[in-house]
Amino acid sequence: MTDPTTDKYSAREQGLGYIYQPRLALLHLLQLPENTAVFLEKDDDLDFIDGDGGKSLASLKHKAVGDRLTDLSIDFWKSVNIWLVRYKRDGGAESNLRFFLFTTTTVSSDSFLTRFLPDHPILSGEGATLTALADAALVKSKSKLIGQIATGFNELSDPEKQNFLERILILDGSPRIGDIPAIIRDKHMRSIRREHREFVFERLEGWWTDTVIKQLTGARTEGIFGYEVSDRLSNFAEEYKADNLPITFRGMVPAEEIDTETDPRLFVVQLREIGISSNRIRSAILDYYRAFEQRSAWARENLLVSGEVEEYEDRLADEWNRYKDVTFEKLKGNSAEEVLREAGVSLYNWAEFETGKIESLRIRAQVTEPYVLRGSFHILADATPEPRVYWHPRFFDRLGTVLGVAQ
């Protein structure tokens, strides 16, 4: 098998470059003032707009380990070419543009590009001007591409060249794509318990990716603001506090097709027994699926304390038993089937619509997502060897028949 690190046809670094953009954008938006907005793939790889309307164009270069940036590095001059076009378009020296090159490489110590590093202040009176250094470098190039860029550069007057170049900053040694998650977790999630930071980051990046896709596809036309990231991070962090749990299955549907008429699971059979409509049974199946998967996810992430789910189910079963006794209290041994079904529907309606108002029936105080509670009742109705809750008053009398249907 060809080693992608040595294969000259490998596009690995180019591919990494594309997914590097949104991840680095997220990192820097967390570091900038919250009223800063970012656009991806607009005037450059990233456009940062500050609260005063100033625009910073950023070119991103995710390069192989060991690469160096030299006087005639094509990565630098390609970025210059983009910036020249924007500089001229926006009025040259009158524009409010700044230019940044984020690169995972380092600038060679003998290159004039060191003058663009942040720890090397650019002073117009310092030795040779940036204009003179750039002109000297361009003269040495035999590259047709760089020659074309030089032509565009030379359309500027010397003062304009200097003004343009003084707007450039190279941030070499920028974090590689695989290092960014740890940086975000370590520097921007310190208020979150360490064991939860990885899960919070995954939630944050998932939301961020969706938001970036909307912007790139035109579904979102405005920039993505820093305060949006802060708000979303805060919301995710809240879900990992002691009185809360993350909700991650809202809107999710099972992979298999939902069949309300023939689904053999006992909680579904029970609903058919009391005449619940197909649409409501579909909703019940979704609640069951989301609650089951959500509880499994909490367990995988070690978010639940020992016995917490069992204690929660005990509370639900106890409350159901109390309301069941009230609902069935006036039924008689010879009550008609229609009356029995109406009582079952009344009990089920209470479980579906009224229990959510009872704070003591939440698994934790801040977990208010309806599918957690509703789905948990269906899990109890599907329990083996026999259900812990039921809806039809004669359910246990018919259990053998019902189980025969459910098998």
Side-chain angles (χ1 to χ4, degrees):
M1 181 179 293
T2 304
D3 183 353
T5 62
T6 59
D7 181 7
K8 67 179 181 179
Y9 298 110
S10 173
R12 185 178 68 163
E13 291 300 330
Q14 182 179 4
L16 285 175
Y18 287 121
I19 56 178
Y20 184 53
Q21 291 180 19
R23 186 167 270 189
L24 192 70
L26 175 60
L27 172 61
H28 284 287
L29 208 54
L30 283 166
Q31 296 170 339
L32 293 168
E34 288 189 326
N35 61 353
T36 302
V38 67
F39 291 86
L40 282 81
E41 293 291 351
K42 192 176 181 183
D43 279 345
D44 204 342
D45 292 333
L46 302 176
D47 297 11
F48 291 100
I49 314 297
D50 64 31
D52 297 324
K55 181 184 290 187
S56 299
L57 304 187
S59 290
L60 278 54
K61 307 297 178 184
H62 193 279
K63 309 299 291 184
V65 175
D67 277 7
R68 292 287 184 270
L69 209 59
T70 60
D71 286 356
L72 295 176
S73 288
I74 197 66
D75 283 340
F76 174 74
W77 290 106
K78 278 185 175 180
S79 297
V80 166
N81 193 40
I82 295 171
W83 299 335
L84 276 171
V85 173
R86 311 309 184 201
Y87 179 76
K88 295 173 183 177
R89 179 199 65 188
D90 289 4
E94 301 301 318
S95 70
N96 62 353
L97 297 174
R98 295 189 304 163
F99 310 112
F100 292 86
L101 176 61
F102 292 95
T103 177
T104 57
T105 65
T106 56
V107 175
S108 294
S109 59
D110 59 351
S111 171
F112 88 97
L113 299 184
T114 57
R115 292 279 295 272
F116 296 109
L117 297 175
D119 57 356
H120 193 127
I122 300 173
L123 303 174
S124 298
E126 179 187 355
T129 64
L130 287 171
T131 300
L133 293 170
D135 286 340
L138 290 171
V139 167
K140 299 175 185 177
S141 175
K142 297 181 180 179
S143 164
K144 289 184 179 180
L145 177 58
I146 291 182
Q148 294 170 356
I149 297 170
T151 299
F153 181 64
N154 288 327
E155 291 175 355
L156 302 178
S157 66
D158 283 352
E160 287 175 327
K161 288 181 180 179
Q162 187 69 21
N163 177 269
F164 169 76
L165 293 171
E166 288 180 353
R167 296 167 183 254
I168 297 174
L169 192 65
I170 297 177
L171 297 168
D172 67 343
S174 291
R176 302 187 67 80
I177 188 169
D179 298 329
I180 293 176
I183 294 172
I184 292 177
R185 290 194 299 266
D186 294 345
K187 293 188 176 181
H188 301 283
M189 295 186 177
R190 290 191 174 181
S191 62
I192 301 169
R193 293 176 61 177
R194 288 192 302 275
E195 63 267 29
H196 299 328
R197 290 175 190 172
E198 182 174 352
F199 300 113
V200 173
F201 174 77
E202 289 176 359
R203 300 277 305 283
L204 179 67
E205 189 169 46
W207 164 81
W208 176 254
T209 300
D210 288 342
T211 305
V212 166
I213 290 172
K214 289 177 182 177
Q215 189 184 79
L216 291 174
T217 57
R220 175 184 177 127
T221 57
E222 69 272 20
I224 308 171
F225 285 87
Y227 60 76
E228 296 179 67
V229 178
S230 298
D231 291 347
R232 189 64 60 161
L233 178 57
S234 177
N235 288 341
F236 289 146
E238 285 291 327
E239 293 184 356
Y240 286 82
K241 291 188 174 180
D243 62 351
N244 208 346
L245 287 166
I247 297 299
T248 55
F249 282 85
R250 186 184 295 119
M252 298 295 184
V253 297
E256 63 275 10
E257 184 178 353
I258 294 176
D259 187 348
T260 62
E261 300 298 325
T262 61
D263 192 316
R265 288 174 292 182
L266 191 53
F267 81 95
V268 180
V269 174
Q270 284 207 56
L271 296 177
R272 290 199 291 260
E273 277 286 299
I274 58 173
I276 295 298
S277 69
S278 179
N279 284 343
R280 290 185 67 187
I281 292 177
R282 175 182 172 81
S283 295
I285 292 172
L286 289 174
D287 286 335
Y288 174 94
Y289 166 76
R290 292 165 184 167
F292 184 89
E293 294 297 331
Q294 187 68 80
R295 286 160 54 158
S296 298
W298 291 338
R300 287 193 300 272
E301 296 178 22
N302 295 315
L303 298 176
L304 300 169
V305 299
S306 178
E308 185 172 10
V309 169
E310 292 78 6
E311 187 273 336
Y312 174 57
E313 291 183 341
D314 287 345
R315 278 188 279 137
L316 296 185
D318 179 70
E319 196 69 21
W320 166 85
N321 192 59
R322 291 170 182 270
Y323 197 81
K324 179 259 299 180
D325 289 343
V326 173
T327 305
F328 296 171
E329 189 170 25
K330 294 184 179 181
L331 295 177
K332 299 178 181 178
N334 61 351
S335 292
E337 178 64 19
E338 182 179 353
V339 174
L340 297 176
R341 283 192 167 197
E342 287 178 355
V345 170
S346 177
L347 179 59
Y348 179 64
N349 287 344
W350 166 83
E352 186 175 18
F353 299 113
E354 299 300 321
T355 54
K357 304 172 185 177
I358 305 174
E359 292 187 10
S360 62
L361 295 186
R362 299 173 185 172
I363 188 168
R364 290 187 186 173
Q366 299 303 317
V367 180
T368 59
E369 179 60 40
Y371 74 70
V372 174
L373 178 55
R374 291 170 178 168
S376 293
F377 271 116
H378 293 305
I379 290 172
L380 290 172
D382 204 56
T384 56
E386 64 181 37
R388 296 188 63 187
V389 307
Y390 57 88
W391 315 116
H392 195 289
R394 302 290 183 260
F395 170 75
F396 276 109
D397 296 339
R398 305 176 180 183
L399 184 59
T401 302
V402 172
L403 288 176
V405 173
Q407 288 175 352

